[in-house]
Amino acid sequence: MTLAGFNVTSSLTLVGFSSLSGHSSLLFFVFLLLYLFVLFSDSLVIYIICSQRALHRPMFAFVASVLLNSLTASTLTYPKLLSDLLLSGAGLVQVSRTLCLCQGFIVTTLGGASFMLLSAMAFDRYLSICHPMHYAVLVTPAKVVLMLLLCWMLPSILGGVSTLLASHLPLCRAQLNRVYCDIYSLVSLSCGGAAAQLSGLSGLLITAVIIFLPAAFVLFSYTRILFICLRRSRSFSSKALQTCLPHLLVFFNYSISVSLDLLLRRLQSNRESDSTLITSILMMLVPTVLNPVVYGLKLKEVFTHVKRLLRCRRGS
């Protein structure tokens, strides 16, 4: 079908699998094991936080939300990746444009929600450490719920706008050197023009709102916490930094993955390469696998209950 002289494709091809076709069986089992690990570990930590009354505190509510976000992303991406590896054959996977747009919406929403949740967690730590006398008044259960809703609703709305704009773009190419779809890649396949420029500009603004601004706020909050700790006793500083370390590890985990992806996109904007394919895989694998490990091992309160639960299961 054509529109204003351009070819409008109704389906797209994920050619990233062509680089993996020779190892598809091995990768299938590797990704399957990773998916099962993510399902088990995320569910375990979330279950512990929900079942232990001592962990019913704002910080752990945000931790459970980050892991729930990660679990949702894994559930919506890993099964599709596994089925594509099984069916790829020659390494080319056909996907409808509608499904590609839906996947792009999910990636934008959940990716933005991750940074929003981490910024809310940083705000919680900042108030707890820097303003402990007012913490109970400032961070009430109702305000925690409102913050969680904002962290999921704002990326959903902005992701919906970005997806809607991308859905009206005529495409001159139909091949993505990735293993999943995202809105930025879809826009790069367009034929150009004012609509593509508008979609690209809106994408930059949305990225700034749901990724760069929350990331800047996280850095600001933990910098303030560090300054406070330098002026307090060693025991206070040690305890405060110990509670912040897991959140910082998760934050840098997300930030490095996103920064590498954005940097390689800019450096290779006019050509596709295996490096963009690798970063697209790492962006999906690394955060989802490391998040439950960091929170399960580095948060002392959670790790204690994890050991106790696993010991009881082994004993029975």
Side-chain angles (χ1 to χ4, degrees):
M1 186 173 105
T2 60
L3 178 64
F6 297 119
N7 182 38
V8 181
T9 59
S10 58
S11 64
L12 301 169
T13 304
L14 301 178
V15 299
F17 288 94
S18 61
S19 303
L20 309 175
S21 57
H23 312 283
S24 57
S25 298
L26 174 62
L27 289 172
F28 175 82
F29 287 108
V30 170
F31 288 145
L32 178 61
L33 289 175
L34 289 175
Y35 179 45
L36 293 176
F37 169 78
V38 170
L39 282 179
F40 172 77
S41 54
D42 277 346
S43 300
L44 177 63
V45 177
I46 292 172
Y47 167 76
I48 288 173
I49 291 174
C50 293
S51 62
Q52 300 298 322
R53 186 175 294 275
L55 301 182
H56 291 180
R57 306 204 302 269
M59 183 185 78
F60 294 104
F62 291 122
V63 169
S65 299
V66 170
L67 293 179
L68 180 61
N69 199 67
S70 176
L71 182 62
T72 304
S74 301
T75 304
L76 294 174
T77 53
Y78 274 93
K80 178 67 168 60
L81 176 62
L82 292 171
S83 65
D84 288 342
L85 281 171
L86 282 179
L87 302 174
S88 59
L92 303 177
V93 174
Q94 295 288 332
V95 58
S96 70
R97 185 172 178 178
T98 301
L99 181 59
C100 204
L101 286 166
C102 290
Q103 202 169 44
F105 169 76
I106 291 169
V107 169
T108 301
T109 300
L110 296 180
S114 298
F115 279 91
M116 295 283 290
L117 288 167
L118 289 171
S119 68
M121 196 179 301
F123 181 62
D124 171 75
R125 291 298 82 205
Y126 169 75
L127 292 178
S128 175
I129 295 170
C130 301
H131 302 281
M133 301 298 293
H134 304 96
Y135 179 75
V137 177
L138 294 173
V139 187
T140 63
K143 291 178 181 177
V144 170
V145 171
L146 286 176
M147 281 192 285
L148 290 176
L149 288 176
L150 177 65
C151 289
W152 276 309
M153 292 299 295
L154 182 61
S156 298
I157 294 170
L158 296 179
V161 172
S162 180
T163 304
L164 183 63
L165 291 173
S167 67
H168 291 90
L169 294 177
L171 304 182
C172 287
R173 291 180 294 151
Q175 291 190 341
L176 285 173
N177 190 37
R178 300 177 75 82
V179 295
Y180 61 86
C181 296
D182 62 87
I183 301 301
Y184 183 94
S185 297
L186 277 172
V187 174
S188 69
L189 299 180
S190 69
C191 304
Q197 291 178 353
L198 175 62
S199 185
L201 179 60
S202 69
L204 288 175
L205 292 175
I206 289 170
T207 301
V209 171
I210 63 177
I211 293 182
F212 293 141
L213 288 180
F217 182 77
V218 170
L219 293 175
F220 168 79
S221 298
Y222 287 118
T223 301
R224 289 287 299 162
I225 289 173
L226 179 61
F227 285 148
I228 292 294
C229 289
L230 291 175
R231 285 185 262 167
R232 300 291 184 89
S233 65
R234 180 173 296 181
S235 60
F236 174 88
S237 301
S238 176
K239 184 178 179 181
L241 294 176
Q242 187 177 9
T243 62
C244 294
L245 179 60
H247 311 313
L248 278 171
L249 290 175
V250 172
F251 168 71
F252 285 122
N253 178 19
Y254 276 114
S255 299
I256 291 172
S257 299
V258 172
S259 298
L260 282 175
D261 187 57
L262 293 175
L263 179 62
L264 287 173
R265 286 174 188 269
R266 284 298 174 187
L267 293 176
Q268 299 161 350
S269 57
N270 296 321
R271 55 191 174 89
E272 301 289 355
S273 70
D274 288 341
S275 57
T276 56
L277 168 64
I278 292 171
T279 55
S280 72
I281 296 175
L282 291 178
M283 266 196 70
M284 181 179 67
L285 294 181
V286 176
T288 56
V289 172
L290 289 186
N291 286 355
V293 175
V294 170
Y295 283 131
L297 297 180
K298 288 296 183 180
L299 280 179
K300 184 179 178 181
E301 299 93 334
V302 175
F303 183 55
T304 301
H305 290 290
V306 169
K307 288 195 300 182
R308 186 181 303 164
L309 182 62
L310 295 179
R311 194 180 299 122
C312 291
R313 292 294 177 90
R314 193 179 302 123
S316 61

